[in-house]
Structure formats: C-alpha cells, structure tokens
Amino acid sequence: MKRITYSFPFVITISLVIQGLGLIRSLVLAKDFGTSSMLDAFYLANVFTVSIFTIIGSAITTIVIPELNAKISFQQRKIYIEKYLTFIRILALILSSILFIIIIFGSNFIVPNFSTQNKILFIILTGILLISQQFKIQASFSVSLLQNEGHYITPRVLDIIPVGIPALYLLLVNSVNIVTLTILTAIAYILETMFFNYLQYRLNPEFVFRIRFGLDSDVKKMLTNTVPILLSSTVFQIQIMLSNYVAGFFGHGYITLLSNTNQIMGIFQSLFIMNLINMIYPKLVKDIKKNLQDGISHVSRYVSLTNLIVILLIWGYAAVGFDLIKLLFVRGAFTATDARTVYQYGLILGLAMPFDVIRDYSYRIYYANGNTKKPMSNSLTTVVINIVLIVIFAKLIGPASIIVAPALGTFFSTTLIVSRSYREGIKINIKSILLNYLLANILGFVMYLVINTSHYTSGNLVQELAINIIIGVVFVVLVILLIVYILRLMGNDIIKKIFK
C-alpha cells in the first residue's frame, strides 16, 4: 500500500500531462480546421477505433490480473494466458476487418453529409488506426503485468507516447496534414508496445509472451468472463447516447451543456477515481486470492481513501467550479448563464461520485473472484433504471432530468450490488465506509467555508482561480497533517480501531 501511496501523486501528474497534450491537439486542430468535415472525419475515425479498443484493453486488464495471481505455477498460467491473448488478437483482427468492410461499403449511410473526398479520407484514417490498435491488446497485457508487480508509474509514462508524438508534430509544423497526423498516431501506439515489451523483458525474460493456439477450459473461462465486461461497457455507451438523444428534445444547446458537464466531471473520474482504483486493484486481487474474508475486510479502507479524495474534490468544485467553467467555456455564444447550468449539473453528478466508488470496488471484488456476470447483470439493471428515471423526470423537472436520473441511478445500482454481495456473504464494512464518508464531508464543507470566507478576487480569472485552489489545498494538507500527528500520539492500536 505504501508503494501505491507514493506512486499516486506521480500518476496524477503524468495523467495531467496526458490530458494537457490531448488538449493541445484539440486546440491546434480547432485553430487550423475549425469545424470542417475533414476534422470530423479524423475524430470519427478515432471514435470507431481508439474508443472501441480502449474498452477491449480495459477488459483484458480486469481479466488478466486475477489470473496472474492464480495459485498454480507461473508456466501453467503463462501458457493459458498466451492462448487467451492469441484468441483475443485473432478476434480483434476479424472484428476490425468486418468493421473496415462495413465502413467501406456503408460510408454513404455512416457519414452521408461528407463529400466523396472526405468519405475516402474517413476510410483511410480508420484503416490506419485499426492497424495500430491491434497493438493495444499487447499493451493492455503489459499494463496488467507491470501493475501486478507494483510498477504503477511506468505504464502511465508510456501512455504519454500516443499523445505526445502527435502533439509534438502539431506544434512543430506550420501546415497540418491529417493523414500524416494519423500515421504518426499509429506509429506512436506501435512504439509504446515495443517499449512495454522491452521493459517486460528487463523485468523478467519469462514475461515476454508468445503466440500460442488452443482453447482449453482455462481459456474458455477467461473468454467467458471477458464477454460480460464488454457487454456492460457497450450498454453504458448506449445509455450515454440515449441521454444525449433525450437532451435534444429539450431544445437548442442542452446536448452541449450535457457534453460539457460530462467532460468536466469525466476529468475527475479518469484522473482520480479510475487511476486510484486501477492502482489498488492488483493489491485487492492478491489480498482476496490469499484469503477471501481478509481481502474483503481491506476494501472499506480502500473505499474510504478513494472517497476522501473524491469528496474533497467535489467540495472544491463547489467552491471554485463556477470560475473554472467560466475560464474554460465562456466565450462567443457560450454565456455565463450556460456556465452556471453546467456548474449546477456538475454538482449533481458530483454528489453521486462517492457511490460510484463503492460500486466500482464492489464490482472488483467479483472480478477478483473471476465472476463478471453479476456486475454485468447489475450494470444492465442500472441502465434500465436510468432510462425509466429519465422518462419519468423528463415530465416532472424538465432538462435537469438528464443529470438527476443518472445520479439517482448510481445510488440505486450501488445499493443493489452491495445488497447482493451481502446476501452472498461478501460483506464490506459499510458502517465504516459511511462514517468515513460523513467525516470526509465535514472536512470538505469546512474547506468550502474557508475558501468562500477568504475568497481572493482578481481581475485575472486564472490568478483568482489558482490562489483560491491553493487556499483550499493548504487548509486540507494542514488539517490532515494535524490529524495524523494526533493519531500517532494516540498510538497504533487506536489508529487500527478507527480505520478498521
């Protein structure tokens, strides 16, 4: 756990660099191409390829880490994991080929408003990215292997390559060529995989996996467990599309407001929640494989640690979020009133995030035991609940339903999975989690009051935002240091009782 604690700030810093490089790409492309169909072709090609393989890569990581900790010899595990990855590679090639054929012959349906030239461009860009994304499978396995060995920073550092090389190209050239940019993006993914293989070999030559064919019982089990994760992710994406579809019925601009809200809260989700959960997951697997009940008993501490960070972020957002949104979005036709709406929507989603954390850790207990069907069942139920809530609240509260429904859906889905796990003897210490949730909110509320009371005002919005954030961070750090100091004076036994 100490290695995770020390690594987390570095992982967050690297993630911020990656987000920054992605932002550079978007800004430069927007400056050079505006809202042209050529740029639409590039982004749509990314959606059809990178997004799909990101889901596959996440599924591979979730499935492989428990197998790396199976109680059999390394060579036995190595053989059937090699077979599993080979099968996934073949399946990915088949699906990529089918997708590419559909795009070639169905471009008139997929992108009917594109000119013939841009349709051809879209097909070429998709083909290039489909080739490069085949390497994502190996890279995902490498991430699993390195994280399982306690190397959390290295995978994030290598993640800079796929965004860093394209960003460097955009900054160095005077005239951007979309095809060249896509080729460089593809090369970057290939280079990332090569670096991963090299690091695996340096760590242990036996970690270099090879192509191996076969479909025995262990491989079938891994494949069976992979399907529910892929299905859950697909259904979740459909739900997002549905929310955007419903938002369009409330009038002009609500899809943009929803998109901007999800973008802001998505940064919190990806930077802090998913980074921390993904880092803790290998340790959680090892704990559960060693002793199920002892492993489950540790989950309440993991949840409370993650929620402490999340809750402080949400209270920080409550204090300075409106200024942040004004800085990012208020320009041109996007007004301060629109920014206020995005800020309020963000607060509603933020209230649900701690329950997201509880649900995600509950899912990972099942994943660690090789059970992906029950989380999938819960996810499908959640989607149904969200759709029903959106329909009901659309009549009652209007546009806010596109935010309130998913937030309430998160609470219901968390309750469902925790109740199910309790019935099956998987009892996380929910009382401890709720107590720490309350204490974290008290600390967050006091931080909110401190920032508002000592609110620094300036004609420079960047300066105002930065100083108010620093005030909040300094206050929290001082309070946590004081609490740690008091607990140390009280002794280790007291600390263990408090955080049990």
Side-chain angles (χ1 to χ4, degrees):
M1 195 65 190
K2 284 184 179 179
R3 181 174 284 187
I4 294 174
T5 305
Y6 294 143
S7 300
F8 185 61
F10 293 100
V11 170
I12 293 298
T13 302
I14 296 165
S15 298
L16 285 170
V17 171
I18 293 170
Q19 293 278 350
L21 290 170
L23 182 60
I24 288 172
R25 187 189 75 168
S26 298
L27 292 175
V28 174
L29 289 175
K31 177 178 71 69
D32 286 2
F33 296 96
T35 56
S36 67
S37 294
M38 185 179 293
L39 191 56
D40 285 346
F42 174 75
Y43 282 131
L44 193 59
N46 275 270
V47 169
F48 271 85
T49 56
V50 177
S51 300
I52 292 172
F53 276 86
T54 297
I55 293 173
I56 295 174
S58 177
I60 290 171
T61 303
T62 303
I63 295 299
V64 166
I65 286 178
E67 298 303 325
L68 291 171
N69 293 279
K71 295 178 180 179
I72 56 176
S73 70
F74 174 78
Q75 282 302 321
Q76 287 178 289
R77 283 175 283 159
K78 183 174 182 292
I79 289 171
Y80 71 75
I81 292 175
E82 284 176 345
K83 292 178 181 179
Y84 167 75
L85 292 174
T86 301
F87 189 91
I88 294 293
R89 287 190 185 99
I90 294 171
L91 183 63
L93 279 170
I94 294 171
L95 292 176
S96 297
S97 301
I98 293 172
L99 176 61
F100 192 57
I101 291 169
I102 291 172
I103 288 173
I104 290 174
F105 293 102
S107 59
N108 290 333
F109 175 77
I110 298 169
V111 283
N113 296 324
F114 280 15
S115 66
T116 301
Q117 183 180 354
N118 284 328
K119 286 176 182 175
I120 294 171
L121 177 65
F122 170 59
I123 292 169
I124 292 171
L125 299 184
T126 303
I128 293 169
L129 290 174
L130 279 174
I131 293 170
S132 71
Q133 288 303 294
Q134 306 304 316
F135 293 86
K136 187 79 175 177
I137 295 169
Q138 179 61 34
S140 299
F141 167 73
S142 300
V143 170
S144 308
L145 195 57
L146 289 168
Q147 287 188 345
N148 194 61
E149 295 296 313
H151 300 279
Y152 305 105
I153 298 173
T154 303
R156 292 307 286 160
V157 171
L158 292 180
D159 282 342
I160 294 175
I161 297 174
V163 290
I165 291 178
L168 188 62
Y169 164 75
L170 291 171
L171 291 172
L172 291 178
V173 299
N174 294 322
S175 178
V176 176
N177 183 289
I178 287 289
V179 176
T180 303
L181 175 64
T182 307
I183 291 172
L184 287 172
T185 302
I187 291 172
Y189 279 109
I190 296 169
L191 283 175
E192 180 191 31
T193 302
M194 291 172 65
F195 277 114
F196 268 126
N197 283 337
Y198 173 74
L199 288 173
Q200 286 175 207
Y201 183 80
R202 290 294 302 271
L203 190 64
N204 187 329
E206 290 188 350
F207 285 161
V208 179
F209 278 52
R210 296 171 176 82
I211 299 295
R212 191 185 296 270
F213 295 96
L215 198 61
D216 52 36
S217 59
D218 290 314
V219 179
K220 288 179 181 177
K221 182 191 73 173
M222 293 180 72
L223 291 170
T224 302
N225 288 337
T226 303
V227 171
I229 297 176
L230 295 177
L231 183 59
S232 299
S233 300
T234 302
V235 170
F236 179 71
Q237 293 300 320
I238 292 172
Q239 177 197 310
I240 292 174
M241 291 170 61
L242 179 64
S243 296
N244 280 276
Y245 178 73
V246 172
F249 281 100
F250 294 115
H252 176 72
Y254 281 103
I255 292 177
T256 299
L257 293 174
L258 176 62
S259 175
N260 290 341
T261 303
N262 286 330
Q263 186 178 2
I264 293 293
M265 304 316 291
I267 291 173
F268 291 165
Q269 186 88 18
S270 61
L271 275 183
F272 296 94
I273 298 178
M274 294 317 300
N275 268 327
L276 191 53
I277 289 177
N278 288 338
M279 290 173 69
I280 289 175
Y281 180 55
K283 186 176 189 319
L284 175 63
V285 170
K286 290 178 180 178
D287 291 342
I288 287 175
K289 292 290 185 183
K290 187 176 180 180
N291 185 293
L292 178 61
Q293 292 307 319
D294 285 348
I296 293 171
S297 69
H298 295 157
V299 172
S300 62
R301 282 182 287 177
Y302 300 151
V303 171
S304 296
L305 171 64
T306 308
N307 268 345
L308 173 64
I309 297 170
V310 170
I311 290 166
L312 291 177
L313 280 171
I314 298 307
W315 279 108
Y317 173 81
V320 302
F322 184 50
D323 288 339
L324 174 64
I325 291 166
K326 284 196 296 182
L327 177 66
L328 291 174
F329 296 115
V330 175
R331 55 180 60 86
F334 198 96
T335 66
T337 303
D338 295 328
R340 176 67 66 181
T341 302
V342 171
Y343 167 71
Q344 292 168 346
Y345 283 2
L347 282 178
I348 295 170
L349 287 183
L351 292 174
M353 278 192 175
F355 299 96
D356 253 328
V357 171
I358 299 172
R359 182 186 63 192
D360 286 349
Y361 274 110
S362 297
Y363 282 178
R364 277 159 177 76
I365 294 173
Y366 281 105
Y367 293 155
N369 281 316
N371 186 337
T372 59
K373 291 180 181 178
K374 287 177 181 174
M376 179 199 70
S377 173
N378 198 76
S379 295
L380 295 177
T381 304
T382 301
V383 170
V384 173
I385 290 172
N386 286 349
I387 292 171
V388 171
L389 289 175
I390 287 175
V391 172
I392 293 172
F393 284 116
K395 299 290 185 181
L396 297 176
I397 59 177
S401 62
I402 57 180
I403 295 295
V404 173
L408 285 176
T410 297
F411 175 78
F412 286 133
S413 66
T414 301
T415 304
L416 286 173
I417 194 65
V418 171
S419 300
R420 169 175 279 181
S421 63
Y422 261 68
R423 290 196 301 270
E424 296 173 1
I426 304 174
K427 299 180 180 180
I428 60 175
N429 193 339
I430 199 69
K431 289 183 180 178
S432 174
I433 290 171
L434 293 177
L435 175 61
N436 290 324
Y437 169 82
L438 177 63
L439 294 174
N441 272 290
I442 292 171
L443 176 58
F445 178 65
V446 176
M447 178 190 72
Y448 169 82
L449 292 177
V450 168
I451 294 174
N452 275 2
T453 303
S454 59
H455 189 85
Y456 174 80
T457 304
S458 170
N460 187 322
L461 189 56
V462 175
Q463 183 180 349
E464 179 179 332
L465 187 62
I467 290 176
N468 286 321
I469 289 174
I470 290 171
I471 290 171
V473 170
V474 169
F475 169 77
V476 169
V477 169
L478 290 176
V479 170
I480 290 176
L481 288 175
L482 178 62
I483 292 172
V484 171
Y485 176 72
I486 292 172
L487 290 175
R488 283 185 176 177
L489 290 178
M490 295 169 68
N492 290 331
D493 291 338
I494 300 293
I495 294 174
K496 289 177 180 178
K497 287 180 182 179
I498 292 174
F499 293 100
K500 184 176 179 182

